[in-house]
């Protein structure tokens, strides 16, 4: 998988974190360096960790499913992308996730896990496609940390940040589905 493809995956995976960080930026009365560090580093770490866990899980079952790996990778990416598209188009959010300080304690950990679950499935896809996970996971974590910081900054600067965040999630979902289709094409399914 090329660097541009991995970078696109990293950006797509970071869209959930971006949407949450925009919301956090809207909720905080004053965004400090501590808020940036806590949110960015925690989200980035979980986005790094989840692909590694998914990859390790995938190593245990790879021998059983190598002939179907491209279909599984496509299904996982399409499922993740579809969920992101559905979530990105959901106008029923009430903004409760922005109450209090979302960069502290248990709430921060819950948000970090929730925004990085998709990366677990991507790690499984890496295993099925026999891609070493360490470089891509590091890139995913760093990109997520940077995008999270940008989202927090955007949340303070944009008047309608929640609408912008949902659109970003839509784009992220489309990118994941596109990458899944490319995997099928590379395996001769769509040629």
């Amino acid at each position: 998988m090329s660097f541009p493809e991995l970078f696109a995956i990293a950006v797509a995976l970071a869209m959930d974190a971006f949407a949450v960080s925009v919301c956090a930026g809207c909720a905080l009365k004053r965004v400090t360096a501590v808020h940036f560090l806590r949110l960015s580093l925690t989200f980035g770490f979980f986005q790094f960790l989840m692909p590694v866990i998914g990859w390790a899980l995938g190593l245990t079952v790879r021998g059983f499913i190598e002939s179907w790996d491209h279909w599984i990778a496509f299904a996982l990416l399409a499922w993740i992308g579809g969920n992101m598209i559905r979530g990105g188009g959901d106008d029923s959010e009430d903004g409760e996730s922005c109450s209090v300080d979302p960069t502290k304690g248990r709430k921060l950990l819950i948000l970090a896990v929730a925004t990085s679950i998709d990366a677990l499935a991507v790690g499984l896809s890496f295993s099925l496609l026999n891609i070493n996970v360490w470089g891509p996971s590091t890139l995913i974590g760093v990109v997520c940390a940077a995008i999270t910081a940008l989202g927090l900054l955007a949340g303070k600067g944009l008047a309608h940040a929640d609408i912008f965040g949902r659109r970003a999630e839509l784009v992220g979902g489309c990118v994941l589905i596109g990458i899944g289709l490319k995997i099928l094409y590379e395996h001769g399914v769509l040629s």
Side-chain angles (χ1 to χ4, degrees):
M1 196 173 280
S2 69
F3 178 80
E5 289 172 326
L6 291 174
F7 187 77
I9 288 172
V11 170
L13 288 173
M15 290 299 105
D16 286 344
F18 177 78
V20 169
S21 63
V22 168
C23 189
C26 292
L28 296 169
K29 292 184 180 181
R30 198 183 72 158
V31 179
T32 66
V34 173
H35 292 122
F36 276 103
L37 286 174
R38 273 196 304 239
L39 202 62
S40 296
L41 293 178
T42 304
F43 280 18
F45 174 73
F46 274 86
Q47 284 282 19
F48 161 80
L49 182 63
M50 289 299 204
V52 172
I53 293 170
W55 179 77
L57 290 172
L59 288 178
T60 61
V61 298
R62 185 173 63 205
F64 300 109
I65 55 177
E66 282 183 334
S67 62
W68 297 94
D69 62 354
H70 53 284
W71 284 107
I72 293 168
F74 169 74
L76 290 171
L77 290 169
W79 176 67
I80 294 164
N83 285 337
M84 289 175 72
I85 290 169
R86 261 194 312 282
D90 184 9
D91 292 327
S92 65
E93 292 180 19
D94 58 7
E96 283 183 19
S97 64
C98 290
S99 63
V100 193
D101 183 355
T103 70
K104 283 186 179 176
R106 191 172 72 164
K107 187 163 198 158
L108 174 62
L109 291 177
I110 291 169
L111 290 173
V113 170
T115 59
S116 64
I117 292 288
D118 299 351
L120 183 78
V122 170
L124 178 60
S125 298
F126 288 160
S127 175
L128 298 174
L129 296 171
N130 205 21
I131 296 172
N132 186 335
V133 74
W134 300 106
S137 290
T138 301
L139 179 66
I140 288 167
V142 169
V143 167
C144 179
I147 287 177
T148 298
L150 290 173
L152 202 53
L153 191 61
K156 287 310 288 176
L158 296 174
H160 303 298
D162 60 322
I163 294 169
F164 183 76
R166 285 195 297 269
R167 289 199 178 133
E169 199 171 356
L170 285 169
V171 171
C174 290
V175 167
L176 286 180
I177 291 170
I179 290 169
L181 289 171
K182 186 177 185 298
I183 288 169
L184 288 180
Y185 177 77
E186 288 173 348
H187 283 84
V189 175
L190 300 176
S191 56

